[in-house]
Amino acid sequence: MDAPGKTPLDYLCEKLGRRWQGIDAARQDADVERQKIAGILARHALVPSDTSFVVFGSLARREWTTSSDVDWTLMVDGQVDANHLKVAQDIRSRFEEAKLQAPGPTNTFGSLAFSHDIVHQIGGEADTNRNTTQRILLLLESATVDNPDAYERVISAVLNRYLDDDLSFLSGSGLRYKVPRFLLNDIVRYWRTMAVDYATKHRERQGDKWALRNTKLRMSRKLIFASGLLTCFNCYLRPPLELKTLFEIPEHMEPLLVHLRTYVKMTPIDILADASLSFAKEATAIQIFDAYDQFLTMMNDGEKRRHLASLKAREAHADRLFGDVRKISAQFQEGLSRLFLDDNEKLNELTRKYGIF
């Protein structure tokens, strides 16, 4: 039986006989920050019963570093109530008083999100960038700090949408499990959207914080994508025994829903560590986590972070610190490529079949 509180990263550290100080520090600091936020919410009774307070970004990933934003939303899953906006505004005010770093300028976070849009508007013209971002990040990098009921209902409803509308998942002979392609396609779409929006933001913001955003795209954003791929691939690679009846009773999707929920509850780093334990050579795992540890250590250095935030694209090619970013991100990319394409034949097969075409 697994020891209580131990994560896949803990088991990977035991297997490899090492720990990563930058990752450990970020996880500990994230837990402290979450407790601080939970205290503010509880002290002022800010979260109504039909809502959940949900955090995203580095706080949800347990990758908290200096000057990290507190990306949050008040998730509403109930009847229309004009008071919800006032509650969100009150939360913003309380966080400002506590000197918490506000979310970025995109307006994706720091306000309300509604379950109806997140669950029902998947694809099509009504599925805005903001809605897609909230939905995918809800699955890949979110956590609830207060009143989890609405949060749990919305996540289950979103996953049900992806499974119910996946016309190919239950087709064929039923002799083998498949990858949930509807969900996978939306994760791939979001990753490509992030890459496209990165260029758009560079233009709209006249290069403001270019190097910092570029660094995150190379590292934390790529980690999110990799963890999403692994979440979908694990439906095929590591299905629980309960899934053996899935094709015998096609309408009974609960085992698969529970299986996906297991991974949704994990942080991206833990999903990657879990895959490294099963599918990666030791040298590959070390390469991946060494690189990510260096990234988080850099992000936790206030001077280096400020330097990247002020660095312009035209200056980057000659900048020593951004040269380090390139080396770290190349190491991370090479490690991910080995994990997905080289170290394990089955993972290689799935990556080529579902991740490329």
Side-chain angles (χ1 to χ4, degrees), residues 230 232-239 279 344 346-347 350:
L230 290 168
C232 293
F233 290 170
N234 276 318
C235 293
Y236 175 89
L237 292 170
R238 305 174 67 184
F279 307 122
N344 182 272
K346 291 182 178 179
L347 190 53
L350 290 179

Side-chain angles (χ1 to χ4, degrees), residues 2-296:
D2 292 347
K6 294 188 74 170
T7 67
L9 181 62
D10 293 324
Y11 289 110
L12 182 64
C13 288
E14 289 180 2
K15 178 181 178 181
L16 299 177
R18 62 196 298 156
R19 292 214 68 94
W20 289 278
Q21 293 182 355
I23 295 175
D24 283 346
R27 288 161 83 87
Q28 293 166 8
D29 290 346
D31 293 344
V32 170
E33 195 70 15
R34 283 197 207 178
Q35 291 173 2
K36 178 181 178 181
I37 290 172
I40 295 172
L41 297 173
R43 189 159 55 248
H44 301 284
L46 290 173
V47 182
S49 60
D50 61 344
T51 71
S52 290
F53 182 85
V54 184
V55 293
F56 300 85
S58 58
L59 191 55
R61 296 194 309 271
R62 298 182 72 202
E63 297 175 20
W64 187 260
T65 57
T66 182
S67 300
S68 286
D69 297 340
V70 178
D71 292 331
W72 62 272
T73 192
L74 188 66
M75 178 68 64
V76 179
D77 184 43
Q79 294 182 343
V80 175
D81 186 341
N83 190 53
H84 286 144
L85 180 58
K86 295 178 182 179
V87 172
Q89 292 169 339
D90 195 10
I91 291 173
R92 281 201 298 270
S93 297
R94 298 296 182 182
F95 285 2
E96 288 173 5
E97 292 173 3
K99 301 188 184 306
L100 300 180
Q101 188 75 21
T106 61
N107 296 319
T108 302
F109 303 112
S111 189
L112 303 173
F114 299 94
S115 59
H116 183 280
D117 293 338
I118 290 173
V119 173
H120 295 290
Q121 304 296 348
I122 301 181
E125 294 182 3
D127 193 11
T128 62
N129 268 12
R130 183 175 186 270
N131 193 59
T132 300
T133 299
Q134 289 179 332
R135 181 177 64 253
I136 298 300
L137 293 187
L138 191 69
L139 299 180
L140 300 186
E141 62 155 35
S142 72
T144 183
V145 176
D146 193 294
N147 190 18
D149 294 347
Y151 173 77
E152 297 291 345
R153 286 196 303 270
V154 174
I155 284 183
S156 293
V158 170
L159 290 174
N160 269 316
R161 265 296 316 274
Y162 284 117
L163 297 179
D164 287 346
D165 291 347
D166 194 336
L167 302 180
S168 66
F169 185 77
L170 290 174
S171 64
S173 64
L175 297 178
R176 305 185 72 182
Y177 305 110
K178 295 187 178 182
V179 170
R181 186 169 286 189
F182 184 17
L183 173 59
L184 176 67
N185 284 341
D186 216 19
I187 290 171
V188 172
R189 178 176 71 141
Y190 176 65
W191 163 242
R192 296 304 182 190
T193 298
M194 278 195 292
V196 172
D197 283 355
Y198 158 78
T200 299
K201 289 176 182 177
H202 175 68
R203 184 168 185 246
E204 291 176 347
R205 301 178 189 179
Q206 297 180 308
D208 183 49
K209 296 185 178 180
W210 172 84
L212 186 59
R213 289 187 290 105
N214 183 276
T215 301
K216 292 179 180 179
L217 186 66
R218 291 167 178 261
M219 299 298 297
S220 54
R221 304 294 186 262
K222 189 171 291 184
L223 169 67
I224 295 169
F225 176 50
S227 70
L229 290 180
L230 290 168
T231 294
C232 293
F233 290 170
N234 276 318
C235 293
Y236 175 89
L237 292 170
R238 305 174 67 184
L241 293 177
E242 291 83 359
L243 282 184
K244 65 183 180 180
T245 61
L246 183 61
F247 292 98
E248 298 170 11
I249 313 175
E251 67 274 12
H252 184 53
M253 300 293 286
E254 186 65 22
L256 184 59
L257 178 63
V258 171
H259 187 60
L260 285 170
R261 287 289 288 116
T262 299
Y263 287 94
V264 168
K265 290 180 180 179
M266 295 165 62
T267 65
I269 279 183
D270 281 318
I271 292 174
L272 192 57
D274 179 67
S276 296
L277 283 165
S278 299
F279 307 122
K281 296 178 181 178
E282 289 191 1
T284 299
I286 291 171
Q287 180 176 5
I288 290 171
F289 284 88
D290 276 358
Y292 210 79
D293 186 72
Q294 292 177 68
F295 160 67
L296 288 180

